[in-house]
C-alpha cells in the first residue's frame, strides 16, 4: 500500500510489516511461495529470503537485487515512465543486459583492503548507454518521484495515516469512519500478523478514502477529502526562491558551486526550522502544513554506505572495472537534486504570510563559528 | 533531528580526532560509538549496507566541506577504491569537551574495518536485541553480515578495540558486548 510512503510511517510508528522487504522475506520463508521454492532444494527458500532481506550487495546475487544497477530499477524506470507519460528517461535495457559481464573486483573500507569478490560489470560497449541510464534515472526524480504533486499527495497520505493510527490504537476506531473489520483497522490493531499486512494494497486504501471523508476526526476527514478530490496543498518552493536570490555565478568552479550549495542548504534548514516552530505554536484546529525536504544525488558516489558492488562498474581498456563516476565526466559533474518545499492549503493565507516573512528576514551571514 | 547543526557536528569530529580524520567509514562509526557512549549528538543512525549510518552526518560533512569548515581530499586506496581524508581548517569549530575528544581520538585511531565491525556489533545489540543470549551473539551476527571483513582475525581485533574504548571515561557505558 503506497509502499515507500507507508514505510516511512512504519518507521515512525514502529510497524515492522510496513516495510515491504520484511513482508517479502516472511512470505518467501513461510507461505505457498516457500513450498514452491523448496522444490528446488530444502534450503532454497531461505537462501532467496536472505538475498531479499540483505538489502545490500555483498555478492553477485545481492547486486542483482539491490544495487545502483539492479533488476528493480530496470523494471520500475520503464514502467513508471510508461504509466506517467514522461517522454524523457528512456533506457536501452536490452543493450545493458546484453553487455553484462562478471568480474572480480577488490573491496575495502576506506584505505584498508578486504579482499576480492565477484560482481556484475558492464562491458565497455555499454558505457554511453550506462551513462544514459544513470541520467535517465536521475531525471525521473524531479519529473516524477519528487514532483510537487507526487510529494504533496504523499505528505497528505502520511498525515492521514499518522492521524488514523493513534485513533485505532487508542480504541477510537469508530471515529475513523472505517468499520472495525476494515483491513486497515485490523492491521493497525495487530500489525505483526502477516495476513493483516498482505491484506493491504492501494485498492484497499482508495476504497477506504470515501469512508474516511466521513471521519469524526477533522484532520483524517480533510486529508481523505483532499486525496479523493485531488485538491492537494500548494507548494511554496523555498529552495527555488533561495536559488533565485543567489543565482549561480557564471563560470563558477566546483568549489564555488559547492559553497553556494552549502549556503542554500543551510538557509533552507534555518527557514524550515523557524517555520515549523511557528506552525507548532498555532492552535490544533489550524489548517495543516506539510514540510518536504529530500535530496537525490544523480549517482551515489562510493562512500561508506556503499560497497563497490553497489556501484556501476565499467570494464576499462586494461581489464580493471572502474566506477562509472570516475570515467564519465557527465555523471561525475551532475549535482544532487534537492527539494525544500512547504505545502500550504489554498485558504491558509496566515501560513503563507508567515513563511514569506521568515524567508525575508532569514537572509544573513551563515557563520562558521561554533555557538 | 539533531539538536545542533549536523555540519557543525561533522566538522567538530575532525577537530576532536586530532585535526585529521581518514575515511567516511571511520567518520560514521566514530560518530555512532561516540553517541552510544552518551556524548549525545542526537543523530539518527540506521543500518545501511555495511553498518550504522547517519544521512544527516553525511550531508552535514558535505556542507561543512562546502563552507570551508573542513578540507576534504579524496584519495585512491591501494585496493582501487576511493576514500576521503578530512582535515581541519581555520574555520573548524573548537572541541567542547575534553572527555569526548579523548574518546573520539581513540576511536579514530582504530582500523576502519575493525571499527566498522565493532560499531555494527554494538548497533545490533541496541537495535536487534543481540544481547549475547544463544543465537543472538552480536559478533557472530556481525560476522554473518560481513564475512569477508570479519575474516583473518579482524573480528577478534575489533572486539579488542571495542574493549579498549569501553574502558575510557564516557558519559554512559558502552554496551557490554566484549
Amino acid at each position: 500500500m503506497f509502499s515507500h510512503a507507508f514505510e516511512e510511517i512504519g518507521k515512525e510508528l514502529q510497524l515492522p510489516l510496513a516495510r515491504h522487504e520484511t513482508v517479502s522475506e516472511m512470505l518467501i520463508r513461510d507461505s505457498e511461495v516457500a513450498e514452491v521454492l523448496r522444490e528446488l532444494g530444502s534450503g532454497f527458500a531461505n537462501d532467496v529470503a536472505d538475498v531479499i532481506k540483505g538489502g545490500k550487495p555483498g555478492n553477485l546475487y545481492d547486486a542483482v537485487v539491490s544495487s545502483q544497477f539492479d533488476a528493480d530499477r530496470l523494471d520500475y524506470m520503464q514502467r513508471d515512465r510508461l504509466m506517467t507519460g514522461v517522454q524523457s528517461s528512456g533506457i536501452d535495457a536490452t543493450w545493458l543486459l546484453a553487455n553484462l559481464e562478471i568480474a572480480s573486483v577488490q573491496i575495502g573500507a576506506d584505505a584498508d583492503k578486504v579482499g576480492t569478490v565477484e560482481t556484475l560489470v558492464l562491458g565497455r560497449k555499454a558505457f554511453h548507454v550506462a551513462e544514459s541510464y544513470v541520467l535517465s534515472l536521475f531525471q525521473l526524480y524531479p519529473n516524477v518521484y519528487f514532483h510537487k504533486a507526487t510529494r504533496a499527495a504523499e505528505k497528505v497520505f502520511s498525515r492521514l495515516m499518522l492521524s488514523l493510527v493513534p485513533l485505532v490504537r487508542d480504541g477510537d476506531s469508530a471515529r475513523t469512519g472505517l468499520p472495525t473489520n476494515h483491513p486497515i483497522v485490523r492491521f493497525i490493531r495487530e500489525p505483526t500478523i502477516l495476513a493483516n499486512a498482505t491484506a493491504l494494497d492501494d485498492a484497499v486504501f482508495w476504497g477506504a478514502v470515501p469512508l474516511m471523508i466521513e471521519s469524526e476526526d477533522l484532520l483524517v476527514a480533510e486529508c481523505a477529502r483532499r486525496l479523493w478530490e485531488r485538491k492537494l496543498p500548494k507548494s511554496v518552493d523555498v529552495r527555488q526562491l533561495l536559488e533565485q536570490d543567489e543565482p549561480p555565478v557564471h563560470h563558477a568552479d566546483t568549489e564555488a558551486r559547492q559553497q553556494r550549495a552549502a549556503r542554500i542548504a543551510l538557509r533552507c534548514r534555518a527557514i524550515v526550522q523557524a517555520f515549523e516552530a511557528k506552525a507548532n505554536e498555532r492552535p490544533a484546529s489550524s489548517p495543516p502544513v506539510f514540510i518536504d525536504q529530500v535530496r537525490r544525488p544523480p549517482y551515489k558516489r562510493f562512500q561508506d554506505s556503499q560497497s563497490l558492488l553497489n556501484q556501476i562498474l565499467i570494464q576499462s581498456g586494461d581489464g580493471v572495472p572502474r566506477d562509472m563516476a570516475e570515467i564519465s565526466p557527465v555523471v561525475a559533474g551532475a549535482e544532487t537534486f534537492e527539494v525544500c518545499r512547504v505545502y500550504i492549503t489554498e485558504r491558509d493565507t496566515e501560513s503563507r504570510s508567515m513563511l514569506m516573512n521568515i524567508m525575508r528576514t532569514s537572509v544573513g551571514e551563515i557563520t562558521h563559528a561554533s555557538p | 533531528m539533531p539538536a545542533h547543526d549536523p555540519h557543525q557536528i561533522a566538522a567538530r569530529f575532525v577537530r576532536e580526532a586530532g585535526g585529521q580524520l581518514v575515511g567516511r567509514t571511520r567518520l560514521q562509526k566514530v560518530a555512532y560509538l561516540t553517541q552510544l557512549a552518551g556524548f549525545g549528538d542526537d543523530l539518527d543512525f540506521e543500518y545501511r549496507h555495511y553498518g550504522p549510518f547517519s544521512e544527516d552526518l553525511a550531508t552535514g560533512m558535505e556542507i561543512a566541506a562546502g563552507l570551508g569548515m573542513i578540507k576534504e581530499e579524496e584519495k585512491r586506496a591501494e585496493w582501487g577504491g576511493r576514500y576521503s581524508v578530512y582535515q581541519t581548517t581555520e574555520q573548524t569549530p573548537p572541541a567542547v569537551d575534553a572527555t569526548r575528544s579523548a574518546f573520539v581520538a581513540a576511536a579514530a585511531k582504530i582500523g576502519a574495518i575493525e571499527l566498522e565491525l565493532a560499531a555494527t556489533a554494538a548497533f545490533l545489540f541496541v537495535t536487534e536485541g543481540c544481547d549475547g543470549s544463544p543465537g543472538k551473539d552480536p559478533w557472530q551476527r556481525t560476522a554473518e553480515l560481513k564475512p569477508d571483513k570479519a575474516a583473518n582475525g579482524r573480528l577478534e581485533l575489533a572486539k579488542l578495540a571495542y574493549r579498549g574504548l569501553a574502558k575510557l571515561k564516557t558519559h554512559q557505558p558502552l554496551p557490554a558486548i566484549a
Side-chain angles (χ1 to χ4, degrees), chain A residues 195-250:
Chain A
N196 289 347
T198 57
L200 299 179
D201 62 22
D202 296 1
V204 165
F205 176 78
W206 284 117
V209 170
L211 303 178
M212 291 189 284
I213 289 173
E214 306 299 325
S215 168
E216 292 173 28
D217 183 281
L218 295 178
L219 189 53
V220 169
E222 180 178 353
C223 290
R225 184 181 56 77
R226 287 190 176 278
L227 288 174
W228 190 250
E229 295 175 4
R230 207 187 173 284
K231 277 195 180 147
L232 300 172
K234 301 301 176 193
S235 164
V236 177
D237 196 325
V238 173
R239 187 175 178 92
Q240 193 175 72
L241 291 170
L242 293 179
E243 285 175 347
Q244 287 167 8
D245 187 55
E246 188 178 345
V249 173
H250 193 52

Side-chain angles (χ1 to χ4, degrees), chain A residues 97-361:
Chain A
L97 292 171
N99 281 274
L100 272 179
E101 303 172 13
I102 295 173
S104 285
V105 297
Q106 303 210 36
I107 55 171
D110 294 335
D112 301 343
K113 179 180 168 179
V114 173
T116 58
V117 70
E118 280 192 331
T119 188
L120 296 170
V121 303
L122 282 167
R124 186 75 199 173
K125 286 192 287 188
F127 170 71
H128 291 291
V129 172
E131 210 175 47
S132 173
Y133 158 83
V134 170
L135 297 173
S136 293
L137 176 59
F138 175 55
Q139 286 169 352
L140 279 174
Y141 279 84
N143 288 332
V144 178
Y145 308 127
F146 290 171
H147 190 278
K148 58 183 180 177
T150 309
R151 294 289 291 181
E154 283 181 10
K155 293 291 176 184
V156 173
F157 168 80
S158 297
R159 187 67 59 88
L160 189 159
M161 295 303 297
L162 288 170
S163 303
L164 195 75
V165 171
L167 284 175
V168 176
R169 280 180 172 170
D170 292 344
D172 242 348
S173 62
R175 297 187 63 225
T176 65
L178 298 175
T180 54
N181 62 348
H182 193 278
I184 294 177
V185 174
R186 277 209 200 115
F187 175 74
I188 296 169
R189 280 213 181 107
E190 292 176 300
T192 60
I193 296 179
L194 182 61
N196 289 347
T198 57
L200 299 179
D201 62 22
D202 296 1
V204 165
F205 176 78
W206 284 117
V209 170
L211 303 178
M212 291 189 284
I213 289 173
E214 306 299 325
S215 168
E216 292 173 28
D217 183 281
L218 295 178
L219 189 53
V220 169
E222 180 178 353
C223 290
R225 184 181 56 77
R226 287 190 176 278
L227 288 174
W228 190 250
E229 295 175 4
R230 207 187 173 284
K231 277 195 180 147
L232 300 172
K234 301 301 176 193
S235 164
V236 177
D237 196 325
V238 173
R239 187 175 178 92
Q240 193 175 72
L241 291 170
L242 293 179
E243 285 175 347
Q244 287 167 8
D245 187 55
E246 188 178 345
V249 173
H250 193 52
H251 288 320
D253 61 15
T254 304
E255 193 178 321
R257 293 186 71 89
Q258 285 173 349
Q259 285 175 5
R260 175 177 176 264
R263 283 194 298 271
I264 290 174
L266 286 183
R267 287 179 69 186
C268 282
R269 183 185 156 94
I271 288 166
V272 163
Q273 281 183 333
F275 179 76
E276 271 186 313
K278 283 200 178 294
N280 289 338
E281 288 169 5
R282 300 180 309 161
S285 56
S286 301
V289 293
F290 308 85
I291 310 287
D292 189 9
Q293 285 188 288
V294 67
R295 65 201 310 258
R296 172 71 185 190
Y299 177 75
K300 292 180 188 172
R301 299 289 303 270
F302 176 66
Q303 48 179 291
D304 169 66
S305 69
Q306 317 295 341
S307 144
L308 197 55
L309 279 71
N310 198 66
Q311 306 309 104
I312 298 174
L313 302 173
I314 309 284
Q315 280 288 16
S316 60
D318 58 3
V320 176
R322 298 207 187 281
D323 189 339
M324 184 90 213
E326 287 187 31
I327 55 176
S328 165
V330 175
V331 170
E335 293 176 348
T336 298
F337 177 65
E338 305 209 39
V339 162
C340 178
R341 302 181 187 125
V342 177
Y343 302 100
I344 298 174
T345 56
E346 59 282 358
R347 294 202 187 101
D348 188 4
T349 51
E350 182 195 357
S351 294
R352 189 172 290 270
S353 297
M354 196 162 73
L355 178 61
M356 300 317 292
N357 281 339
I358 290 169
M359 290 190 64
R360 269 192 288 275
T361 57

